[in-house]
Amino acid sequence: MSRWMPLLTLALLLMAAGGVFVAGRTLSRGQRIQVEPRDRQGLRAFVRRAQSEIRQLEQRYEARIAGAIRDLDVTDPPSVRRTLDELVAVVSCEVRIPDDEPWRVEVDYREFLPVGWAQRMRSVEMSGHEGWQAEEDHLFLFRDVRDDGVMVTLTILAPALERAITAALAPMKVEFRRLQTGGGDLDEWMDPTGGVMVAAKQTADRFDVPPDVVLPLHSRFGTWEIRSWDRRTRVTELDTGLQTGAALVSALLVLGGVGLFVGQIRAVRLAEQRVSFVNRVSHELRTPLTNMLLNLDLAAEEVGSPGKAAARLGLVREESDRLARLIDNVLTFSRVEQGRLETEVRDVDVAALIEKTVASFGPLLERRGIRLDVSMQSPPPWRTDPDALSQILANLLSNLEKYAPRSTAKLTAAADAEALVIRLGDDGPGIAESDAKRIFRPFERIHGTVTEGVSGTGLGLSIARDLAVRLGGSLSLIPCQTGATFELQLPRMETADP
């Protein structure tokens, strides 16, 4: 496990915890509109005064047109015309004199009058009722019968009269603005046409909702409205349940991250301690093993003649060589894991190195019933690490000895200007295509009838490939019809440390 993995894991979990906490706070924040009812006593009192003012204006207007009817000189139409011009919103006057034909005088109000109004007014059946009579298109009739029996009917245009009443309410508009200054900034006054007489001073707090209170000002000719809104504010609220849940999840992620960090740190330290222990033990084993090998060589020379003692010493020598290879593999693996594996490059007599390595395996291969043919095309001295090359070859031969008993094998070596190629093939049980990549993984062993009862650490081929890559080359399993064939390619190295 990399030294940086615990820190990376902790950083990711802390980021996740922060994200959950921030998301929880964001999602837990909600907004609602809070309505604050207002005191409208002053506004209602104003509406009562304004309603009274509109009624008085209506009464004064009715009295004005009634007085004009009484004073009309019905024998002089031009005089009637002049009187109509002085009256607000009157567009026509029809006079009916007993025992005489009725006649009409009209006033030009084109800006208000609908198309064809005159024809419709002429077709109206005049009833004998006096007073007001509403007609379509905002037209009103006012009739009065004078003492002399003359009936006069005035046609009055409501929009024109509404405008006149609105203008007459100017003093009330000033009073309404004073109410706005005193807290009625959310109130507005509308005329009968929907136009704004006095706009609200504050509209942002209304939040585009209909008015909370509508106070009408009724008139015969139209309705004015006072629209009023309650004050509204946007209130932010927190969902404590969601926020607490997010905080708990964040806390669990933080605690889990810290716990995982501590566990990974301990695992890294334990792995380092194991590697360090393997190094120490391997070095401790290497020293007495070297002494054993030295003394075995001396003892074999002193025996001098073949016999049981020499055979046993030969077996001890073989097992010592096996133990030496095992220790070398363990040391190499630990150095690779710690990133401390170094190479020592020099010119190497490849043929001599191969012969020496094969000779060390001779008795062992013979006992396993393996016949090994060596064919070398006199490879020239090659610039590489001799110890690494020897260990690669030893691991390949050890693999041959373990998994291809009673077989025929062939080792070839050839070189050109670019690469040294060494192949070791056999006609044994071979390796399945599905296992071709697994065999180069550390501690990986293929389970089957061939491997039953075979001891090993599963490091040989993995270390051989690592060393080959370290030397700038490659080690691969070549597809073949029978058995297994390994190919080692090594370039000529130019530096001491690739």
Side-chain angles (χ1 to χ4, degrees), residues 109-215:
Y109 262 89
R110 290 193 182 93
E111 60 174 317
F112 294 111
L113 291 174
V115 178
W117 74 274
Q119 289 77 7
R120 290 200 297 273
M121 286 297 98
R122 293 190 184 99
S123 64
V124 172
E125 290 293 334
M126 303 298 292
S127 68
H129 300 291
E130 299 181 24
W132 293 99
Q133 179 179 336
E135 295 295 335
E136 58 182 349
D137 291 327
H138 307 289
L139 296 174
F140 286 84
L141 302 179
F142 181 78
R143 296 188 180 88
D144 193 12
V145 179
R146 302 194 317 181
D147 294 338
D148 57 1
V150 175
M151 184 173 68
V152 179
T153 302
L154 300 180
T155 303
I156 298 169
L157 187 62
L161 190 56
E162 290 169 1
R163 177 184 288 185
I165 294 175
T166 299
L169 292 174
M172 300 297 296
K173 292 165 63 175
V174 174
E175 183 179 349
F176 185 77
R177 290 191 179 95
R178 284 199 298 269
L179 284 175
Q180 289 182 322
T181 305
D185 53 349
L186 294 177
D187 302 333
E188 64 184 13
W189 194 351
M190 310 293 293
D191 63 25
T193 65
V196 180
M197 291 175 57
V198 182
K201 292 185 177 181
Q202 179 60 266
T203 59
D205 293 343
R206 299 195 319 205
F207 294 95
D208 297 326
V209 296
D212 297 287
V213 175
V214 177
L215 302 175

Side-chain angles (χ1 to χ4, degrees), residues 132-331:
W132 293 99
Q133 179 179 336
E135 295 295 335
E136 58 182 349
D137 291 327
H138 307 289
L139 296 174
F140 286 84
L141 302 179
F142 181 78
R143 296 188 180 88
D144 193 12
V145 179
R146 302 194 317 181
D147 294 338
D148 57 1
V150 175
M151 184 173 68
V152 179
T153 302
L154 300 180
T155 303
I156 298 169
L157 187 62
L161 190 56
E162 290 169 1
R163 177 184 288 185
I165 294 175
T166 299
L169 292 174
M172 300 297 296
K173 292 165 63 175
V174 174
E175 183 179 349
F176 185 77
R177 290 191 179 95
R178 284 199 298 269
L179 284 175
Q180 289 182 322
T181 305
D185 53 349
L186 294 177
D187 302 333
E188 64 184 13
W189 194 351
M190 310 293 293
D191 63 25
T193 65
V196 180
M197 291 175 57
V198 182
K201 292 185 177 181
Q202 179 60 266
T203 59
D205 293 343
R206 299 195 319 205
F207 294 95
D208 297 326
V209 296
D212 297 287
V213 175
V214 177
L215 302 175
L217 299 172
H218 296 294
S219 167
R220 184 189 306 277
F221 309 104
T223 301
W224 287 257
E225 289 183 349
I226 302 292
R227 299 180 180 181
S228 179
W229 283 262
D230 289 327
R231 198 168 302 280
R232 287 167 169 78
T233 54
R234 201 180 299 275
V235 179
T236 301
E237 295 180 335
L238 294 178
D239 186 341
T240 55
L242 180 58
Q243 190 172 11
T244 302
L248 289 176
V249 173
S250 300
L252 289 176
L253 285 174
V254 171
L255 292 176
V258 172
L260 187 58
F261 173 76
V262 173
Q264 289 181 332
I265 287 293
R266 289 177 179 174
V268 170
R269 290 178 180 173
L270 182 59
E272 292 176 348
Q273 291 172 356
R274 287 175 177 172
V275 172
S276 177
F277 171 76
V278 168
N279 285 333
R280 291 196 302 270
V281 171
S282 298
H283 281 292
E284 291 296 327
L285 289 173
R286 196 73 173 95
T287 301
L289 182 60
T290 302
N291 293 332
M292 289 172 57
L293 293 174
L294 177 60
N295 284 283
L296 283 172
D297 290 338
L298 293 174
E301 291 176 1
E302 291 177 358
V303 170
S305 59
K308 292 183 178 181
R312 290 185 180 279
L313 288 174
L315 289 175
V316 173
R317 174 69 194 190
E318 291 174 13
E319 293 302 320
S320 298
D321 287 338
R322 185 191 298 274
L323 181 58
R325 288 193 298 273
L326 175 60
I327 293 174
D328 287 340
N329 282 340
V330 173
L331 284 172

Side-chain angles (χ1 to χ4, degrees), residues 41-55:
Q41 292 184 0
L43 182 63
R44 295 182 186 279
F46 170 80
V47 169
R48 289 192 292 270
R49 292 194 297 274
Q51 183 67 73
S52 175
E53 180 67 19
I54 290 175
R55 289 197 182 111

Side-chain angles (χ1 to χ4, degrees), residues 38-88:
R38 293 170 45 207
D39 182 4
R40 293 185 173 85
Q41 292 184 0
L43 182 63
R44 295 182 186 279
F46 170 80
V47 169
R48 289 192 292 270
R49 292 194 297 274
Q51 183 67 73
S52 175
E53 180 67 19
I54 290 175
R55 289 197 182 111
Q56 291 179 15
L57 289 173
E58 284 185 350
Q59 292 172 359
R60 287 198 292 270
Y61 182 74
E62 184 175 345
R64 174 76 177 86
I65 59 177
I69 290 174
R70 287 193 302 271
D71 297 337
L72 279 179
D73 184 359
V74 296
T75 62
D76 184 9
S79 173
V80 173
R81 173 81 179 216
R82 288 192 296 273
T83 301
L84 294 183
D85 288 338
E86 295 175 358
L87 296 176
V88 176

